[in-house]
Amino acid sequence: MAQDTDTPAQEPPSPGPGRRRAWAALRPLVLRLHFYAGVFVAPFILVAAVSGLLYVWTPQIEQVVFAEQLHAEPSGIALPLSEQVRIAQQELPEAELDAVRPATTMEDSTRVLFNVPELEGSHRMTVFVAPHGGEVLGVLETYGTSGALPVRTWTDMLHRSLHLGDTGRLYSELAASWMWLVALGGVGLWVSRKRNSGGSGGSGGRARRLLLPGAGTSRGRMRSMSIHGATGLWLAVGLLFLSATGMTWSQYAGANISELRERLAWSTPAVSTEAPASSSESGAGAGAGADAGAGASADVGVDEVLASAREAGLDGPVEVVVPDENASVYVVDQVDRSWPTRVDSAAVSAETAEVTDIVRFEDYPLMAKLSRWGIDAHMGVLFGAANQLVLTALAGGLIIVIVMGYRMWWQRRPTHARALGMGRPYPRGSFRALPLHYKAAVVVLLALFGVAVPLLGASLLLFLVVDALLGWRARRQGGRAGGPDAAREGAEEQGETAASPRSRPGS
């Protein structure tokens, strides 16, 4: 092929003729797969990118929208935490007390969280109490460990499921399942094209055209391709990260990931909530759910429990989970996800306020630490604004890549009057042209990926069925699959006519 004819003196160190021959054989198949995924899966990735971009900055938005609930004027001495809990319980007398998030600074409000029958999963009703005056500042529904308020919760559900429940979650899983494969394929196509396209400027010129969007081109489809390819190259590592971490929340691939983590002992450890041997069994935990330390003899209350947890080193924002009627141990969790090591947990006896068990983040298995950091970084909370800026750049760049991809598709449209209005994929036959051992390797790899990432496998199978039906129809009609325009465009994609790119008015 034309891209393999450059002399060694003009090339950077080569990966070797064997690898280059392998890629030359596989490239048409990758190109066709990249096209199909780009056309049919990119809309799902685009929705995920836009909704994710909205989600990234919701913490700041909530600080403005719910300022009256989140902040209180410091005046005098703060009330005991148990008294703040009692005031909150009067606001929701029929609800079940679940946890307390004490104010961290003098200007913060205390959050008292309740389980109510109409809310499921990680959704809870939260009463916001002014620590100093005991005033109820508001009651809002909150969600998850992050304590997301309605704005962030709504945006999170949009990003995760389009507000369509479990059915809607298939969209985000499809996007996450394909994004890594599209990114890797795009990188391979772009790097190999620029490596073999030759041109003036030597290795420095090739590097510039490889890395700078739009470099070396003036207009038309080749400029769109340059923006698409170079931008995608800069984003590749970040997109792989978002794809991998995004699949941990998915229904099917996420279940496989959870099973793998459990088998390899990569799961996040949790504190033991079993009562210590010295605790009396009678009346254990009585009053914890109803009064949280208002004087019950079997429950020392949240104030002493919090003090014990602070002495054990659990500083910063924490959540104190009260025991139910069948337990006698509080659980105190650090909930500050902006710093990657402040996620310790402690179990504290309701009878003695003694720390009965503690799990330090430093003792997590390595993969559990990486999982924690990965999830927090995906949500934009790790290291605060710096994380948000990186995700904003990733989402914005991904939107540009997708838009340029569709623009390229439009610019590749056939020129003759009877043709369809959009560009065609690279001509069929790339898989049949592979050597037998390459065919076997491709089938095995795609089968393994399909089992590990079920939605990827199902959608890929659908692509193959649709493509086979289109090929059968083309043969029935007696037409040539692809035609002269598609063949010429396929040659351009391969880099064989890169020196004379086609342009048309208005492109």
Side-chain angles (χ1 to χ4, degrees), residues 33-244:
L33 181 62
H34 189 76
F35 172 87
Y36 269 120
V39 170
F40 296 111
V41 181
F44 300 99
I45 300 177
L46 179 62
V47 172
V50 173
S51 59
L53 183 59
L54 292 175
Y55 177 84
V56 164
W57 295 101
T58 51
Q60 284 82 355
I61 296 173
E62 289 188 331
Q63 287 293 321
V64 175
V65 175
F66 302 108
E68 293 183 359
Q69 290 78 32
L70 294 171
H71 304 290
E73 288 292 334
S75 57
I77 301 175
L79 297 173
L81 191 57
S82 57
E83 178 64 15
Q84 298 177 51
V85 172
R86 186 189 65 79
I87 293 171
Q89 287 180 303
Q90 291 177 342
E91 191 72 17
L92 296 175
E94 303 299 324
E96 176 190 1
L97 178 64
D98 181 58
V100 186
R101 293 193 176 193
T104 306
T105 70
M106 297 287 290
E107 291 79 21
D108 292 335
S109 60
T110 292
R111 301 188 186 194
V112 186
L113 299 93
F114 295 87
N115 292 320
V116 295
E118 55 267 30
L119 297 180
E120 299 179 353
S122 300
H123 294 262
R124 295 176 286 187
M125 292 302 297
T126 298
V127 179
F128 295 81
V129 180
H132 297 84
E135 177 188 0
V136 174
L137 303 174
V139 180
L140 296 171
E141 180 180 337
T142 58
Y143 173 73
T145 304
S146 62
L149 301 179
V151 170
R152 190 163 20 150
T153 301
W154 187 90
T155 311
D156 184 17
M157 292 300 108
L158 175 68
H159 180 66
R160 184 177 302 192
S161 65
L162 301 178
H163 293 279
L164 298 176
D166 287 342
T167 301
R169 289 179 64 187
L170 296 177
Y171 114 83
S172 58
E173 181 167 0
L174 186 67
S177 299
W178 272 97
M179 190 158 60
W180 67 273
L181 190 58
V182 174
L184 286 178
V187 167
L189 292 170
W190 180 244
V191 171
S192 63
R193 190 180 197 282
K194 287 303 173 186
R195 187 185 66 226
N196 299 298
S197 60
S200 61
S203 59
R206 282 193 294 271
R208 182 173 177 272
R209 291 190 296 273
L210 179 71
L211 298 173
L212 294 183
T217 58
S218 58
R219 60 192 296 269
R221 190 177 69 86
M222 301 308 292
R223 181 172 178 80
S224 299
M225 183 187 298
S226 176
I227 297 173
H228 177 84
T231 305
L233 183 62
W234 282 103
L235 300 178
V237 174
L239 297 182
L240 294 177
F241 166 79
L242 290 177
S243 178

Side-chain angles (χ1 to χ4, degrees), residues 309-391:
R310 295 297 193 197
E311 291 177 3
L314 274 71
D315 57 352
V318 296
E319 179 174 291
V320 182
V321 182
V322 301
D324 59 28
E325 59 184 10
N326 298 316
S328 60
V329 174
Y330 286 83
V331 174
V332 183
D333 298 315
Q334 288 182 313
V335 292
D336 182 9
R337 296 295 186 258
S338 63
W339 191 249
T341 60
R342 298 174 69 175
V343 288
D344 296 350
S345 298
V348 183
S349 170
E351 297 182 17
T352 64
E354 175 189 0
V355 175
T356 59
D357 189 27
I358 192 165
V359 173
R360 305 286 188 187
F361 182 75
E362 62 186 22
D363 297 326
Y364 279 24
L366 176 60
M367 293 305 300
K369 290 180 179 179
L370 294 177
S371 297
R372 177 74 270 160
W373 292 333
I375 290 172
D376 292 340
H378 187 109
M379 295 175 64
V381 298
L382 193 66
F383 300 122
N387 192 171
Q388 293 174 299
L389 291 172
V390 170
L391 289 180

